[in-house]
Structure formats: structure tokens, C-alpha cells
Amino acid sequence: ATNIPPVTFLQMRLEKGNVDALIVQNPYAMGYLGIEQINTLLNGQKPEKKETATSSILVTRENMYDDKSQKALFSFEEK
């Protein structure tokens, strides 16, 4: 067992080349858009779409330190 947070563990593996890429989802968008859909239904309306796409990003060794990748990897880290 390890006390390393999952994102840090995966980032280490990506950095060392043990993992080729990570697909990082946006949990904030998932929650926000999900609640938005619930609100639409509770107000007696039908959602515009049957499915709602949330953003995700492909993080590789080449882009793992870009601002966009860092924001995706550490969106809920305490500052």
C-alpha cells in the first residue's frame, strides 16, 4: 500500500515512461452539468440533448507540464 495520491502516482508513471498517456476527465464539469440536467427535469422541462459531453484531455509526457494539463491533473488540489 502507498500513501501517494492517485494523480501523483500516475503522473510519476507517465514521467518515467511506464504509462504512455492519461485521459483526464473534468469532474467539476460532470457534477455541474449533472445538477443542471436535474434542475431542468425538476422544472418539468426536457433536456436539450439525451447525452451531455464533459471535457477530457489527453496528457502525455510531452504536454504534462503545460498549463492546460496541470489544471486538468490538479483541479482539486489545495493551493
Side-chain angles (χ1 to χ4, degrees), residues 5-17:
V7 171
T8 305
F9 179 78
L10 291 172
Q11 183 182 10
M12 288 170 33
R13 295 293 166 251
L14 183 62
E15 203 170 43
K16 290 182 179 185

Side-chain angles (χ1 to χ4, degrees), residues 3-75:
N3 290 330
I4 300 172
V7 171
T8 305
F9 179 78
L10 291 172
Q11 183 182 10
M12 288 170 33
R13 295 293 166 251
L14 183 62
E15 203 170 43
K16 290 182 179 185
N18 302 110
V19 173
D20 293 326
L22 302 173
I23 298 174
V24 183
Q25 297 175 321
N26 183 342
Y28 178 81
M30 290 176 181
Y32 182 87
L33 295 171
I35 295 299
E36 193 175 67
Q37 291 287 19
I38 291 169
N39 188 48
T40 298
L41 293 169
L42 289 175
N43 286 315
Q45 301 170 333
K46 289 190 176 185
E48 292 179 22
K49 300 176 188 174
K50 191 171 186 174
E51 296 178 8
T52 301
T54 58
S55 62
S56 59
I57 180 174
L58 181 68
V59 179
T60 64
R61 273 189 289 169
E62 290 77 26
N63 73 0
M64 70 186 292
Y65 292 109
D66 293 353
D67 285 342
K68 187 176 180 180
S69 296
Q70 287 292 296
K71 286 178 184 176
L73 285 167
F74 302 106
S75 62

